[in-house]
Every structure is written in structure tokens, then in C-alpha cells.
Amino acid sequence: MTEKTRFGKAAKLLFYGVLAGAVLAASALPASALAGVVLKAASDSYEDLPTDLKVPATAQRSYLYANDGKTLLTTFYDENRVDVPITEIATSMQQAIVAAEDTRFYEHGGVDLRGVVRAFVANQNSGEVEQGASTLTMQYVRNVLKSDPNLTPEQRAAATAETKGRKIQEMRYAVALEKKISKQEILDRYLNIAYFGAGAYGIAAASQRYFGKAASALTLSESALLAGLVQSPDSDNPISGDKQAALDRRSYVLGAMAKMNVITDADAKTADAEELVLHPTQAPNDCGGMPAGHDDWGFFCDYFRQWWNAQPAFGATVDERQQALRRGGYTIVTSLDPKVQAAALQQTLTVYGYGNKRATPIAAVQPGTGRVLALAVNRHYSLDPNPNGQQNYPNTVNQLVAGGGAIEGYQAGSTFKMFTMLAALESGRSLDTGFVSPAKFPSKYPDGGPNSCNGVWCPENANPDWMDGYRNMWTGFGRSVNTYFVWLEQQVGAEKAVEMAQRLGIQFRAKSDADLAKDGADGWGAFTLGVASTTPLDLANAYATIGADGVYCKPLPVNSVTGPDGAKVDGIGPSCNRVVSADVARAAADAARCPVGDQSSLNTCDGGTANQVSDILGGRPVAGKTGSSEENATETFVGFTPQLAVAGIAANPDDPGDHVGSAVQSKVVDAVARTMAAALQGKPKTDFTAPSREIAYGSDGPNQPPKQDPDPNPNPDGATTNGNDTPPADTNQPGNPGRRDR
């Protein structure tokens, strides 16, 4: 025994001696005055001590639900606790905890002087501190002090240290508390704050943890067992501790209940003879705690957590926001639609299975609200090790769908032509703006690589026989004509296309992309061909903006957040603003009907790169765009209607040099389209609003294509087309595509 230990125990014996002497001296006083006299004798400063016990809200776990408000995704907690009113706690449990911890609970005023004397005598006879004198009220006070989140760890330790001063303060608080609230209220608070072992705080969590039932359904035997655990919750709990010790404590509690006459001796014997049958359940915690068979929900949960950490409504810092989530007792109804999520997961697995190093992350968004309906990928959201040293498959917690952390995104090819088209329409150009698109186009953007055309970048069409010739926005977008869109980008300025993408929520997570967007956007000619990295979520939400007639909404993973008091948290709804005019958005949507086998409002489409989409959606009005990066390193498709936008990208998240190949494009298109079909099943067919005739054709009416064969090398800047047909490989050059898109 150390000197410090001996000193502490001696001080405690002395303290109890003082209290015992005070009891004897005050024995003639009425009971109502006794407690004050004893404590006054124990400390001359007793009357100067504060009596106002600050009782912060106890830590409560927060619940995360799907959009139906019923399907539980997971919970978040530091302490597994959920408060329940005493009316929802079995009477046997209320009786058992009193019998176990404070048989005179209903007789004393917060401090049990008989208990003080009994403890003093027992401890004096043994020379050790074997019995305490803490009442249930004092234990409640101690629990409040040691769990107060407003105190530092050092302050909490001091508030619960085994010292005479702390004990006196605890008594002072207990006496004052009993003057303010009823015994039932104290019992209620104690049962909801006490630790019962195995990570369970409060009786509701303990009932579920040990027996898989509500606190109201506890039997006498179960109540006695739980009541017995609070004395040594870690060592005695029957799940991970000493099962026999738990049973011995159960016997003790049942005997104490019989002595209190709240049960009969026969009841005690019957309950004591019952076999201990546990049904342990573990409340899920955090994004890794999804229900069995639904680890795919983890990617959405992870995105929700990113969103929560950015919300000032829940604290000034990320740490404060996380503490609010894990201790605040919120009920969060997310935007996740289990039906859409299931469809997206099923479809991503048709492209690549769980064991494939390649992935097809898919995101679904609701236009007009930004609510995220699904985030799926062919991975298990799990920290489990991967076999054979495999990177990030089949298990990963990297955010492959929404981006963040180390995930910068994937090149999405010609889907970025949309931003050039929007910039051109906004600048006053009409949908029938025409250009004779050559197989190879000497642009104005400098390129000093070996494959340049006399010092300028020369993009080319992937399928000249099908793409070359006179094109406008309808036919150029439908057939994904590279040379048309590079020409169009030159007319409005590449910086306008970059700025448009940012308006629609495209984030440049890669530093090289961000630097170009900031300082070199005017020379970033290849931007229109999708050389910047993006994510399925950003891409789906950008196209959702077009489906919402030009109203951009920040991606939102929640429908509502309710505090523990039942009040809805304000400022949680959609955050939307108009980023392009309705007519510009409608014109872009009209052209975007061409790639997917649909027809524009003016019957101007003449072919598309994903014609099967219209059939998969049963003739429902639909729009979208394919994208293939250079040498088919990635394959992308994004589809949208006024009700839904879905994007998917096939890539190798760990190795951009592992090209997925052109053969997978049709699978990606099918996967996205079938996800849309499942999500829209049963919903009315909603048509796009036609654009104005002025934005379609301009003030002079429809343009006429040239009647003669055009110059095979049209170039407004006078550059020629001689040079290597292969685009340069250095994708860091501003004008360089690093790809051949379609």
C-alpha cells in the first residue's frame, strides 16, 4: 500500500469519525435539522458551499433514419444512452435499484446519517474503507459531475475525487437537490444516468444491451441483475466480465428487496433460481455500424457526416459539431431512399463485382432540392482487411462516390460539353449555332508538344464518319462532336465554361485543376472535353440544376433534423439559387435529349451516343450525356429528368492508368438508366418545358447548313491541320485534352 493510499484512507476514516461524532452530538435534534448539523460539524465552510447543482443534459445517442423516417441506418454516440421517463421503466427495476443502492432512499433527505454511522463503524473495525455512505441522491450528483461535458477532464476528476471536501460538496448538493425535486424525479434521473457496464448508460440502453428489450418489459430477475451491476459495472457484467459475480449480486439485490417488503421471500427465491438468459444487442455506432447486408449505406452515412461537420447550426468547430452529433440526442431523417439505393447498388454490380479493382460509383439527386437519394458503389463500406494486399477492394471507407479526403474524382469526358453549351447559350448564341466540324480542328490554344499542329492544340473527333460535318448544338451534343465544342468554347471563352461549371457545383478537388481554374482558365481549351476530375455526385447535381430549370441546390443529405426536445432544427432545408435563366436551362435540356434516343421539342435530334436510354425508361422524356476519357481510361454517363438526375463513372480509383476500355460504356449507360427507371417507377411522366423559339433559333430564324462542301480545315485563327493525329499526352498543358472523348 502506498503512502498516498494510506493517507487517503486515513483521511476518509477521520472524516467519517467527524460525521459520526456529529450524529451522536445531534441525536436529540429533530430529523429535519439533523443533516445540516452533521455537515456543519464536518466542515465549518459547509454553509459557504454552493447548492446549485448545474445539471447539463445527459449525453444521448443520435439516430439516423432513411427518408421514410422508419428505416434506421445507424446511431451515433460516445455514451450509449437514451433517456426514458420513469413511467416506461418496470416497477421491479425501480424497486431493485433502491434495494441495491439505498434502502432508506424514501426516508432520508439526501444524506443518510444512519448509513454514515454504519460505514464509520464498519470501516473503523476493519481498518479499511469497506463501506461507503453515499445515498442514491449523492450517487446521482456524482454522476452528473463526472459526466458534465462543460468541464475539462481535470475538473471532472477533481469533482469526483475521493476527498473530504468533495464528499462534503456532494452532500451539500444532495440535500439541496432533495428540497427542489421529488424522490421519483431523482430516481428517474439516476436510472437514466447510471452506467450499467458493457457500454450501456442508463436503464433503456442497458435493457437492450443485455436482454434485447425495453426497460418497461424487464422481469424481476432481470431487474435485480441490472441493479446489481452499478456497483462494479465493468468487472461484474455478464457479457464481458464475471458472470458469477453478476449472479451473486442479483441474489443480494433480491434479498434486499425482500427485506424491504417490496417482494416476498418466495418471489425472491423464484427469481434467484431463474437461469440467466442473455440476448445481447449492440446499438450500431457510426457509419461502420450499418445493419447486416446494408454496408453500402455507409457511403451515404459518410457523406452525411461530411455535411454535418460543415453546419454551423451544430457548433462553431468541427469538434463541437461532432460532440453535438454523438451526445445531442438528435433524430435525423435523411434523404436516402432505400429503393433508389438498392437499385443503384444492384446496377453498379452489373458493371463490376465486389472483387473487381475497378469501380462504378453511382449518385442520384433530386432536382429542385439537391436531396441526395442514393450513393452506391461496388465496395463494402468496411475497415475489414482486403485479401492479397488488394487496395480498397472489396472493403474501403474512402468516399468513392461523393469525393473528399484522398478522393479527388475521375475525368468525366464529354459530359463537360454541357458547361460550354450553357455558357454559349447565356452569351446570346442560339441552339442552332452552326459550324462545319472537321475531323481535326486546329484550335487557338498553344501547345508545344510533339503532337501539336504548328504549335497549337488539335483535338479530333473519335468517330469522324459519324461526327464530322455541319453541326449545331442539338446535333453536336447528340453525337458528342469534339471539334464542334472546342470551336464553340473558343467563341465564348474557355473561362466562361469553367465558371459555368463552378456555378453548377463542380468542385476542383485536384490541385492542378484548381490552379488552372483560378489562374489559367482562359487558356484551358481542353476543359470542354472533360479533363478535370469530378465525382458522380457533383456531376449528377450539376445536371439536376438543368432539370430544375437553372436552379442550383447544394447537395443535401437530410430531410429534417429534430432535437431531443422534439423541436425541428431551423435552417436545414434546401439551399437553392438560380444560376442560369430558365430559358437557357431549358434550351440545354432540349439539346441533351438528343444523346439518349429522345427527341427535342423541335424535332432537331439526328442521332445519339446512348439511344437505349429512352427505351429503358419506357419512352419517358429523358436527357443525358455520355463521356469517354482519352483511351477510354474512364467511361461516364449522366441522365436526368425534371424529377431525377443520376450519374455513374467507371474507373479504377487506385490506378488512373488502368483504362476501363470502351466496351464498358454501354454497361455504365444501362446501369444509370435502369437506376433511373427503378427510381421513377410509379411516378407520373413529366415532360421538359420547351425553350423559347428565340433561344432555339435566334432572332433571324433557323440557320441553314452550307450547300457546298466546307473547307476541310476551317480555322478562324489560320492554323493548319498538319501534324500528328494523336492528341498530346501531357494533360497538364492548358489546351491539351489528354483524351479523345465521345
Side-chain angles (χ1 to χ4, degrees):
M1 183 182 298
T2 65
E3 289 297 324
K4 184 177 180 180
T5 302
R6 280 197 294 268
F7 176 79
K9 290 185 175 180
K12 198 166 189 179
L13 286 169
L14 175 62
F15 174 58
Y16 284 136
V18 173
L19 289 178
V23 170
L24 294 176
S27 59
L29 294 178
S32 60
L34 196 56
V37 173
V38 171
L39 293 174
K40 177 66 176 177
S43 171
D44 290 337
S45 62
Y46 172 76
E47 294 296 342
D48 297 327
L49 292 173
T51 61
D52 185 19
L53 175 67
K54 291 182 171 63
V55 184
T58 55
Q60 304 284 307
R61 65 177 180 239
S62 294
Y63 294 84
L64 194 71
Y65 291 97
N67 66 352
D68 58 9
K70 298 177 182 177
T71 303
L72 181 66
L73 306 181
T74 191
T75 57
F76 295 91
Y77 57 85
D78 286 331
E79 296 179 2
N80 180 19
R81 176 190 286 112
V82 54
D83 284 355
V84 291
I86 200 160
T87 54
E88 295 180 17
I89 301 173
T91 301
S92 61
M93 186 66 229
Q94 300 176 43
Q95 295 168 338
I97 200 68
V98 171
E101 296 300 308
D102 187 1
T103 57
R104 286 173 38 79
F105 173 64
Y106 291 103
E107 300 171 32
H108 61 66
V111 176
D112 184 6
L113 300 181
R114 292 184 184 178
V116 170
V117 174
R118 183 176 61 252
F120 170 71
V121 172
N123 295 333
Q124 188 177 49
N125 289 339
S126 67
E128 300 287 339
V129 179
E130 292 183 346
Q131 290 186 23
S134 290
T135 63
L136 193 146
T137 310
M138 292 166 62
Q139 290 183 47
Y140 167 69
V141 168
R142 191 178 313 135
N143 273 288
V144 169
L145 294 173
K146 73 180 182 182
S147 62
D148 187 345
N150 300 312
L151 300 179
T152 66
E154 293 76 17
Q155 288 173 321
R156 285 196 292 270
T160 56
E162 290 295 330
T163 64
K164 182 179 73 171
R166 191 275 302 168
K167 196 74 173 181
I168 294 173
Q169 178 65 85
E170 194 176 282
M171 291 178 172
R172 176 74 159 158
Y173 280 141
V175 171
L177 192 65
E178 293 235 2
K179 293 178 180 178
K180 292 183 178 180
I181 62 176
S182 68
K183 291 285 187 179
Q184 264 323 73
E185 176 66 17
I186 293 170
L187 184 59
D188 181 319
R189 293 186 184 187
Y190 178 83
L191 284 167
N192 279 300
I193 201 173
Y195 180 53
F196 289 85
Y201 291 81
I203 189 58
S207 302
Q208 291 290 345
R209 182 71 180 101
Y210 291 102
F211 301 112
K213 61 171 62 175
S216 59
L218 289 170
T219 67
L220 173 59
S221 178
E222 293 165 346
S223 297
L225 182 120
L226 293 179
L229 296 181
V230 295
Q231 189 178 86
S232 301
D234 289 318
S235 61
D236 289 358
N237 88 73
I239 292 177
S240 59
D242 189 336
K243 183 176 180 179
Q244 186 55 52
L247 291 172
D248 290 345
R249 282 289 295 165
R250 182 181 73 174
S251 298
Y252 165 78
V253 174
L254 289 167
M257 293 176 76
K259 288 181 181 178
M260 289 179 64
N261 295 317
V262 294
I263 62 172
T264 65
D265 289 337
D267 291 335
K269 290 180 180 179
T270 300
D272 197 30
E274 288 184 17
E275 181 182 356
L276 176 60
V277 179
L278 299 173
H279 294 285
T281 61
Q282 181 66 55
N285 194 9
D286 221 305
C287 296
M290 297 294 142
H294 288 292
D295 56 34
D296 60 296
W297 293 349
F299 294 98
F300 180 92
C301 174
D302 180 85
Y303 178 68
F304 157 77
R305 193 168 49 189
Q306 287 185 33
W307 173 86
W308 181 280
N309 287 344
Q311 302 307 307
F314 305 114
T317 65
V318 171
D319 285 344
E320 288 180 7
R321 294 162 195 164
Q322 272 297 298
Q323 185 179 80
L325 179 62
R326 306 184 72 83
R327 299 178 63 90
Y330 290 96
T331 297
I332 302 134
V333 178
T334 72
S335 57
L336 180 72
D337 187 319
K339 173 186 171 183
V340 182
Q341 176 70 21
L345 178 63
Q346 179 183 13
Q347 292 305 318
T348 188
L349 292 172
T350 66
V351 183
Y352 300 120
Y354 280 115
N356 200 308
K357 60 185 177 181
R358 296 168 179 167
T360 309
I362 293 176
V365 178
Q366 184 181 66
T369 66
R371 288 196 166 101
V372 182
L373 305 180
L375 297 175
V377 65
N378 54 309
R379 297 289 190 270
H380 298 292
Y381 188 88
S382 173
L383 290 169
D384 290 346
N386 290 307
N388 304 320
Q390 294 168 186
Q391 283 187 297
N392 291 317
Y393 72 96
N395 305 310
T396 188
V397 293
N398 286 332
Q399 184 48 265
L400 302 181
V401 195
I407 304 301
E408 297 173 346
Y410 325 94
Q411 295 176 336
S414 290
T415 60
F416 273 41
K417 289 172 181 172
M418 172 59 76
F419 308 123
T420 299
M421 181 161 61
L422 286 166
L425 290 165
E426 189 173 70
S427 73
R429 288 165 176 80
S430 60
L431 281 169
D432 75 335
T433 297
F435 174 65
V436 180
S437 302
K440 190 172 185 178
F441 176 65
S443 73
K444 71 175 185 179
Y445 301 107
D447 186 349
N451 299 319
S452 65
C453 300
N454 293 339
V456 297
W457 171 48
C458 290
E460 60 188 79
N461 291 327
N463 187 346
D465 291 342
W466 192 63
M467 296 176 174
D468 296 356
Y470 184 83
R471 300 295 169 211
N472 55 29
M473 292 189 201
W474 284 295
T475 59
F477 199 73
R479 297 188 180 218
S480 199
V481 183
N482 289 347
T483 58
Y484 174 84
F485 273 92
V486 174
W487 170 81
L488 187 64
E489 185 183 48
Q490 285 188 173
Q491 308 308 302
V492 297
E495 71 280 4
K496 297 292 186 182
V498 173
E499 189 269 337
M500 180 62 71
Q502 291 175 304
R503 260 196 263 170
L504 270 66
I506 297 296
Q507 299 181 49
F508 298 120
R509 295 178 177 84
K511 185 178 185 302
S512 58
D513 293 340
D515 289 345
L516 275 174
K518 180 181 179 183
D519 300 320
D522 58 343
W524 199 0
F527 181 79
T528 193
L529 302 187
V531 296
S533 296
T534 189
T535 67
L537 179 57
D538 283 359
L539 192 61
N541 202 45
Y543 273 69
T545 303
I546 305 160
D549 281 351
V551 174
Y552 167 78
C553 300
K554 292 181 180 179
L556 181 64
V558 301
N559 289 348
S560 67
V561 179
T562 304
D565 58 355
K568 294 286 180 68
V569 177
D570 292 332
I572 299 302
S575 176
C576 306
N577 64 291
R578 179 167 295 284
V579 293
V580 296
S581 72
D583 208 25
V584 165
R586 290 166 183 173
D590 204 55
R593 300 176 74 169
C594 297
V596 296
D598 201 358
Q599 186 54 260
S600 73
S601 62
L602 296 168
N603 295 310
T604 47
C605 299
D606 68 355
T609 55
N611 288 325
Q612 71 267 42
V613 173
S614 181
D615 291 336
I616 292 173
L617 267 69
R620 180 188 292 270
V622 63
K625 186 71 185 76
T626 54
S628 302
S629 62
E630 175 66 12
E631 298 180 356
N632 305 101
T634 62
E635 292 289 349
T636 302
F637 178 66
V638 53
F640 68 101
T641 73
Q643 301 148 296
L644 178 71
V646 180
I649 303 176
N652 184 332
D654 299 319
D655 182 10
D658 176 29
H659 297 183
V660 300
S662 60
V664 80
Q665 186 189 68
S666 63
K667 290 185 176 181
V668 176
V669 171
D670 287 355
V672 170
R674 294 189 190 283
T675 299
M676 295 178 69
L680 293 169
Q681 187 176 17
K683 290 182 169 54
K685 292 184 179 181
T686 303
D687 204 350
F688 295 97
T689 302
S692 69
R693 189 169 182 82
E694 182 177 356
I695 202 170
Y697 291 121
S699 58
D700 297 331
N703 290 325
Q704 297 298 319
K707 296 180 180 179
Q708 299 180 356
D709 290 338
D711 181 344
N713 298 314
N715 180 20
D717 299 310
T720 64
T721 59
N722 49 341
N724 197 301
D725 287 345
T726 305
D730 182 5
T731 60
N732 289 324
Q733 294 294 325
N736 191 337
R739 69 193 64 253
R740 296 167 63 187
D741 296 357
R742 56 174 170 268

